[in-house]
Amino acid sequence: MMHTSWTNNLQEFLNWTVETIREDKLLSPWLEEKKFEWAPLVSKNITNILDKSYSVLIITDKERDWFLNYILSNINSSKLNRPFLPFYDFSSFFKNLDHIKSEDDISNIKDMLQISFPNGYCFWYIGKSQDNRSTLAKITKSSFLWIFDEERQGSLNLKSNDIALDMKLLELFRLYNKTLSAALFANINVEN
């Protein structure tokens, strides 16, 4: 029975996603092609935030620092008329992200985060797969990954050489933000 409920919820969420993409004039049809990657990934992420009270620690590669600033400037906008949600710039907790070298570094960071976020945390990584900044996010099970230049299961896979990449990131964020609001106000069920 649990599987049927999950399948129904996922189908309902997929339908809502497609409908939202089609109705929003600022979202392009290419997003529909990503719906099967998108739905389970976003479902897991939003469930972690809303049901498990996880905090989201955002990391980007250097080329996407602008996008990190965009996310942080818009995710808790008062225009959204919703409660503020726990999204943070990970570099505000750990400045030496480019210099993580050893298992000890990773272990020490994880210890710090477990103390800082007793309800749990997840990374939201946006950037190239081979970037050193991706390491923590890729080895953390609950991560929300928007990975470039690698076909990685359980992540949204994009190409860094796509000339429309920046626009696609903005569109993905718009859809994500709409999904967050809809889930928060129980307009859709993203639980799996």
Side-chain angles (χ1 to χ4, degrees), residues 44-59 72 75-76 84-90 93 112-125 140 142-144 176 180:
K44 182 179 92 170
N45 174 260
I46 291 177
T47 299
N48 283 340
I49 298 167
L50 300 182
D51 293 347
K52 298 180 181 177
S53 301
Y54 277 29
S55 293
V56 180
L57 307 174
I58 307 168
I59 302 172
L72 293 173
I75 198 86
N76 285 317
F84 291 159
L85 297 168
F87 287 83
Y88 306 100
D89 176 353
F90 181 66
F93 296 96
M112 173 192 71
L113 293 174
Q114 286 175 342
I115 293 166
S116 301
F117 301 101
N119 289 335
Y121 63 89
C122 59
F123 290 106
W124 180 4
Y125 177 74
T140 303
S142 60
S143 289
F144 186 43
Y176 178 71
L180 259 177

Side-chain angles (χ1 to χ4, degrees), residues 57-184:
L57 307 174
I58 307 168
I59 302 172
T60 63
D61 61 13
K62 285 182 186 165
E63 293 173 57
R64 257 52 63 182
D65 278 344
W66 68 269
F67 189 54
L68 168 66
N69 292 325
Y70 182 84
I71 291 169
L72 293 173
S73 297
N74 289 282
I75 198 86
N76 285 317
S77 170
S78 57
K79 292 180 211 162
L80 296 171
N81 294 318
R82 69 179 188 212
F84 291 159
L85 297 168
F87 287 83
Y88 306 100
D89 176 353
F90 181 66
S91 67
S92 66
F93 296 96
F94 190 78
K95 294 285 183 210
N96 298 321
L97 199 51
D98 293 317
H99 305 292
I100 297 172
K101 300 284 188 235
S102 69
E103 293 293 323
D104 282 346
D105 290 343
I106 291 169
S107 180
N108 289 334
I109 291 168
K110 284 186 168 189
D111 287 347
M112 173 192 71
L113 293 174
Q114 286 175 342
I115 293 166
S116 301
F117 301 101
N119 289 335
Y121 63 89
C122 59
F123 290 106
W124 180 4
Y125 177 74
I126 303 121
K128 292 180 181 172
S129 178
Q130 298 308 314
D131 193 286
N132 200 41
R133 293 183 181 191
S134 72
T135 305
L136 266 174
K138 289 195 316 191
I139 63 169
T140 303
K141 190 176 181 181
S142 60
S143 289
F144 186 43
L145 302 172
W146 295 10
I147 293 283
F148 307 162
D149 306 326
E150 177 185 349
E151 291 298 317
R152 185 182 184 94
Q153 191 170 353
S155 68
L156 193 64
N157 301 292
L158 301 163
K159 300 288 182 207
S160 65
N161 63 356
D162 183 340
I163 60 169
L165 179 62
D166 291 353
M167 293 305 297
K168 286 181 176 182
L169 290 174
L170 293 169
E171 289 181 48
L172 285 164
F173 176 73
R174 181 175 178 83
L175 181 58
Y176 178 71
N177 218 7
K178 284 179 166 246
T179 307
L180 259 177
S181 290
L184 191 62

